[in-house]
Amino acid sequence: MTADGALESLRREGRVVVVGASLAGLRGAETLREKGFTGSLTIIGDEPHEPYDRPPLSKQVLLGMTTADRTALPRRRDLDATWRLGVPATGLDMAARRVRLGDGDEVPYDRLLIATGVRARPWPHEAEAELDGVFVLRTRDDAARLERRLAAGPKRVFVIGAGFTGSEIASACRERGIAVTVAERGGAPLVGALGGVVGAVAADLQQEHGVDLRCGVMVTALEGDASCRVRAAHLSDGSTVETDLVVVCLGATRNTEWLAGSGLGAGPRGIACDAGCRAFDIRGIVTDDIYVAGDVARSPHALFGYQFLSLEHWGNAVRQAEIAAHNMLSESADRLPHLWVPAFWSSQFGVNIKSVGVPSLGTEILVSQGSLTDRRFVGVYGYQGRVIGAVAFDHARWLPFYQELIETTAPFPPPFPTVGRSPGQRPTDADFPDPSVPTHGPTVTLSGYSPADRRMTFTPAH
């Protein structure tokens, strides 16, 4: 059979399996149908729920504005799929093209899309993590349980980690009138994602809203009472905070353990894939039948020195899944690269925070619009003489302009005056922490380089 004939046969009667029933998995499956795939489609998910939206969990759900069971993702079309929910994938046989499930079943495939995402990193001391009142927040069920406890009116909530999730939880607590303490091992909230200059603004914002913010400290132990309910947190500075609710926000762990021994290039940092979303095996050879999308993927990006990026971003999950599904059904000449510019947003303490690019790669920052003091500004990040990222506090209308600067590798600092920029404003050190010291909350992880040293002109698709 010719290559064209094999591809047409795949489209008509092939078997596609999607492992991961969340945003990337759903959008990938929908794109397959939109591209004319009429074969069998199986979607596997370890949670019992159909795909739901995660951003509302730390925002509207915790505020009681909606319930966790009303966060289902809208459907673009009917999928005509077989759903295997509540049953995790436990193994992959690449040679036989079969996915093993936790119930002992095996599902064959001709093409496989892996979109298993990440899970919340738990508190490392198991006995302490199992105390009543110790929570993580990642899933719909996590959010429902935590909201019920917040609604009961705890005297104090203790949040471990001041990344985006931890800060949003603290914001929700203060909006509900609940006392909250936040412990962060870095020098300021959001410092791992946005640096110390912007982190200082976030710290002032939290303290102004009544957050008991403790930076530069670690939690050494969680203490329970006789009934195994959490009652206090002990810190590295010798202090103790009494609390009846603890939320652990220590970042995420990529769901790749089920691929151990499969021969796929998967590990703690994710699954390596090329710019077309095709997975690498452990020898560094790209596969033609296994694709990766969403938070679990590591892929090289032309705009960022061909480093492999792992992106925990909503828009990236959608676009990467669409590219993976397109390429899965396409000849090599028709395949597309995934060159999504990272974009992220957060709402906390009445401020809308948005970013584009990879701020954490920057070494310098220039406040190009507005004022840090007013907490209404745009900060532009520079790396090796070019614009690499931007962040806006209540100033998001400027971000498309800075995204274009990132896409065109514009020089840093920008060689032109900008509206609202103070005279004489100069770049300063962005003040990111030492990368060898973990902080809480980076949403972009730089995880290696491509072996090839190449250059290209980036032309965004419109």
Side-chain angles (χ1 to χ4, degrees):
M1 184 182 294
T2 66
D4 287 345
L7 197 56
E8 185 57 34
S9 176
L10 171 69
R11 291 194 187 104
R12 289 197 319 269
E13 53 194 35
R15 301 164 300 179
V16 173
V17 173
V18 178
V19 181
S22 192
L23 176 64
L26 176 63
R27 295 298 182 242
E30 290 172 333
T31 303
L32 286 168
R33 291 303 192 203
E34 289 166 4
K35 298 287 183 181
F37 176 68
T38 57
S40 72
L41 180 59
T42 303
I43 302 175
I44 299 165
D46 59 352
E47 292 186 59
H49 313 296
E50 291 196 8
Y52 58 87
D53 206 12
R54 295 187 191 276
L57 300 182
S58 59
K59 302 174 178 71
Q60 292 94 327
V61 172
L62 292 193
L63 288 171
M65 298 168 61
T66 189
T67 57
D69 59 0
R70 299 185 68 180
T71 57
L73 284 164
R75 300 290 182 85
R76 293 176 177 175
R77 59 175 298 132
D78 178 51
L79 287 177
D80 186 24
T82 299
W83 293 84
R84 302 292 300 270
L85 300 177
V87 183
T90 57
L92 172 65
D93 186 334
M94 293 175 61
R97 291 184 172 179
R98 302 179 77 87
V99 175
R100 293 191 293 273
L101 303 184
D103 61 3
D105 199 3
E106 294 188 353
V107 183
Y109 66 85
D110 297 303
R111 295 289 186 273
L112 173 65
L113 174 60
I114 300 176
T116 46
V118 301
R119 64 185 184 276
R121 191 182 301 277
W123 184 242
H125 306 290
E126 187 174 346
E128 296 174 6
E130 292 177 353
L131 291 170
D132 182 23
V134 177
F135 290 84
V136 295
L137 179 58
R138 175 67 187 175
T139 70
R140 196 180 103 173
D141 292 341
D142 292 339
R145 287 191 293 264
L146 181 55
E147 195 282 326
R148 285 195 295 269
R149 295 294 284 268
L150 293 179
K155 292 180 180 178
R156 178 171 295 276
V157 173
F158 189 90
V159 179
I160 305 176
F164 283 108
T165 300
S167 296
E168 288 175 1
I169 292 170
S171 177
C173 289
R174 294 306 300 138
E175 193 163 338
R176 298 186 76 145
I178 301 170
V180 60
T181 296
V182 177
E184 164 60 47
R185 70 186 300 168
L190 312 182
V191 67
L194 300 176
V197 173
V198 176
V201 178
D204 289 344
L205 185 65
Q206 292 200 15
Q207 291 169 332
E208 184 179 282
H209 282 80
V211 175
D212 174 24
L213 180 62
R214 314 282 187 96
C215 293
V217 297
M218 293 185 293
V219 178
T220 56
L222 301 177
E223 178 186 343
D225 61 18
S227 60
C228 293
R229 289 179 63 95
V230 68
R231 64 170 299 274
H234 298 278
L235 306 183
S236 58
D237 61 3
S239 63
T240 297
V241 178
E242 293 187 0
T243 183
D244 45 3
L245 202 63
V246 173
V247 188
V248 179
C249 303
L250 296 178
T253 299
R254 284 164 176 80
N255 293 317
T256 59
E257 292 86 353
W258 67 283
L259 294 166
S262 67
L264 205 63
R269 293 183 296 178
I271 304 170
C273 61
D274 68 5
C277 307
R278 296 180 299 171
F280 286 106
D281 68 14
I282 57 174
R283 302 168 297 171
I285 297 175
V286 71
T287 61
D288 282 321
D289 54 355
I290 302 175
Y291 291 74
V292 194
D295 298 357
V296 76
R298 297 176 56 220
S299 59
H301 203 303
L303 285 176
F304 306 104
Y306 287 97
Q307 290 206 55
F308 278 74
L309 302 187
S310 301
L311 306 177
E312 295 174 37
H313 293 168
W314 195 96
N316 177 75
V318 173
R319 186 57 181 155
Q320 194 167 31
E322 292 171 342
I323 292 291
H326 170 86
N327 290 346
M328 193 179 289
L329 302 176
S330 299
E331 296 284 1
S332 58
D334 297 324
R335 289 174 182 160
L336 300 173
H338 174 60
L339 294 175
W340 172 266
V341 176
F344 181 79
W345 72 277
S346 174
S347 179
Q348 50 189 265
F349 305 101
V351 173
N352 191 17
I353 303 172
K354 292 188 176 182
S355 74
V356 293
V358 186
S360 57
L361 187 58
T363 54
E364 296 179 283
I365 186 172
L366 171 70
V367 177
S368 56
Q369 262 104 15
S371 162
L372 296 175
T373 304
D374 296 337
R375 299 184 195 130
R376 181 179 171 84
F377 64 89
V378 175
V380 185
Y381 294 84
Y383 175 70
Q384 295 184 349
R386 55 159 292 202
V387 175
I388 202 75
V391 64
F393 275 47
D394 281 344
H395 231 43
R397 67 192 179 104
W398 288 101
L399 286 188
F401 169 74
Y402 289 104
Q403 179 171 329
E404 185 174 347
L405 295 186
I406 296 166
E407 291 172 346
T408 56
T409 64
F412 179 88
F416 44 77
T418 53
V419 176
R421 180 170 162 186
S422 302
Q425 189 90 33
R426 294 284 185 270
T428 60
D429 187 339
D431 193 24
F432 281 97
D434 185 335
S436 66
V437 180
T439 57
H440 307 128
T443 58
V444 179
T445 304
L446 306 175
S447 53
Y449 290 91
S450 164
D453 182 18
R454 292 170 289 177
R455 298 290 181 266
M456 68 176 288
T457 301
F458 177 74
T459 304
H462 296 290

